[in-house]
Each structure stands twice: as structure tokens, then as C-alpha cells.
């Protein structure tokens, strides 16, 4: 189709955000820096479209599970254009302990309209990693809605 019929949608996974037990931010850093076992952190995320988001984890041993929201089958809603920290609650954070190695965070950011039959985009998602985070872009045809589902490898030491 002509280029004018395609609409780009982006999600920007910006960085890891260290937090203390009370939820106060202790610092920002690149995903490539990884995290230490037992460390508390959040994820900075910015989407160009209203979305529902789910975070998952694949451990160094290959075990998969949904980690946020904690209940399988649930998702959280985020607004377009607003940078957010996940998990959303001030005293909520991600914390991994145990097996060290390469963890993968699975990030699924989708337009809620993509849940209707046949309306999810199947176009390729392009990724570009920068010092400040990772950009994910998907071009979507009219009548279809973005679904960005990617794994982000993070060193767990």
C-alpha cells in the first residue's frame, strides 16, 4: 500500500530505575548495566498510543511467568505520551533473587482495540537500542492496531 496509509506506533523502553524499599528513586541506568540479585527496580516506559501492558520474565533457567500485573490474564492501562514507571505503585517494584545469568523481561504493549478479532497488527516490530533505552516501532495499516511484544535481555548478577 502507499506509504500514506501506514501509521507508525512506537514504544520506548527507557531504563532501569533503582528504588529503595519505600519507593524512593535511587538512580537511573541503562538496561545493559543489568541488576544485582535482590536489587529493587522499576522500568521506565513511554508509548505513543494508549495501551494495555503486561510484563513477563524468562529466568536464566528458562522458566516463564507473568510478573506485572501479578495475576495472569490481567493487564494495566497506560496513556499515550506519558512516561510511566512500572510497577505503578510507589511501594511496588521488581526484584529478582536466586538464579543469576541472563534474565529476559518480556514487554507486551498493545492498543486495546487490537484485542478485537482480526484487528491486531501482524507487521514486524523494529527495535533500536540506544544508550538511553530501546525503541520499538511498528507500522500499522488502517483498521489494525499495534501490538509490540518483545523480550529485553538483562544481566542478573
Amino acid at each position: 500500500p502507499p506509504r500514506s496509509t501506514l501509521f507508525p506506533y512506537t514504544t520506548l523502553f527507557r531504563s532501569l530505575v533503582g528504588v529503595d524499599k519505600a519507593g524512593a528513586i535511587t538512580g537511573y541506568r541503562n538496561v545493559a548495566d543489568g541488576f544485582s540479585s535482590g536489587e529493587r527496580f522499576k522500568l521506565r516506559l513511554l508509548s505513543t498510543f494508549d495501551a494495555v501492558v503486561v510484563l513477563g520474565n524468562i529466568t536464566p533457567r528458562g522458566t516463564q511467568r507473568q510478573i506485572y500485573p501479578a495475576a495472569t490474564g490481567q493487564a494495566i492501562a497506560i496513556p499515550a505520551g506519558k512516561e510511566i514507571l512500572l510497577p505503578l505503585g510507589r511501594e511496588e517494584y521488581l526484584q529478582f533473587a536466586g538464579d543469576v545469568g541472563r534474565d529476559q523481561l518480556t514487554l507486551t504493549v498493545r492498543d486495546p482495540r487490537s484485542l478485537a478479532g482480526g484487528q491486531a497488527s501482524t507487521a514486524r516490530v523494529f527495535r533500536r537500542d540506544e544508550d538511553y533505552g530501546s525503541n520499538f516501532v511498528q507500522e500499522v495499516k488502517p483498521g489494525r492496531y499495534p501490538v509490540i511484544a518483545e523480550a529485553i535481555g538483562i544481566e542478573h548478577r
Side-chain angles (χ1 to χ4, degrees):
R3 188 93 172 131
S4 62
T5 65
L6 300 175
F7 302 95
Y9 290 91
T10 61
T11 294
L12 176 61
F13 174 73
R14 297 189 59 89
S15 62
L16 295 179
V17 179
V19 294
D20 65 18
K21 192 173 184 177
I25 294 173
T26 60
Y28 297 88
R29 67 177 179 281
N30 190 298
V31 174
D33 295 338
F35 60 91
S36 298
S37 200
E39 178 180 9
R40 296 174 178 96
F41 63 93
K42 292 182 179 252
L43 305 174
R44 282 173 60 187
L45 182 70
L46 175 68
S47 177
T48 62
F49 56 94
D50 290 337
V52 291
V53 177
V54 173
L55 291 176
N57 175 239
I58 304 171
T59 69
R61 288 188 178 197
T63 305
Q64 297 182 33
R65 65 186 172 106
Q66 181 173 318
I67 58 174
Y68 188 74
T72 301
Q74 291 187 349
I76 58 142
I78 63 169
K82 182 179 179 188
E83 188 173 83
I84 62 162
L85 296 178
L86 294 177
L88 294 173
R90 175 167 169 76
E91 295 179 11
E92 292 180 303
Y93 47 81
L94 301 174
Q95 184 178 34
F96 297 87
D99 295 329
V100 295
R102 190 112 175 125
D103 264 274
Q104 291 185 66
L105 292 177
T106 58
L107 175 68
T108 303
V109 181
R110 67 186 307 145
D111 187 303
R113 296 171 292 181
S114 71
L115 298 168
Q119 293 185 331
S121 176
T122 57
R124 180 176 172 200
V125 174
F126 294 91
R127 177 179 176 171
R128 183 172 179 156
D129 297 320
E130 303 283 353
D131 287 343
Y132 57 83
S134 298
N135 293 292
F136 302 97
V137 176
Q138 182 179 49
E139 288 187 327
V140 178
K141 294 178 183 179
R144 297 286 181 117
Y145 300 97
V147 178
I148 297 174
E150 294 290 317
I152 301 159
I154 300 179
E155 199 60 38
H156 177 179
R157 48 184 191 284

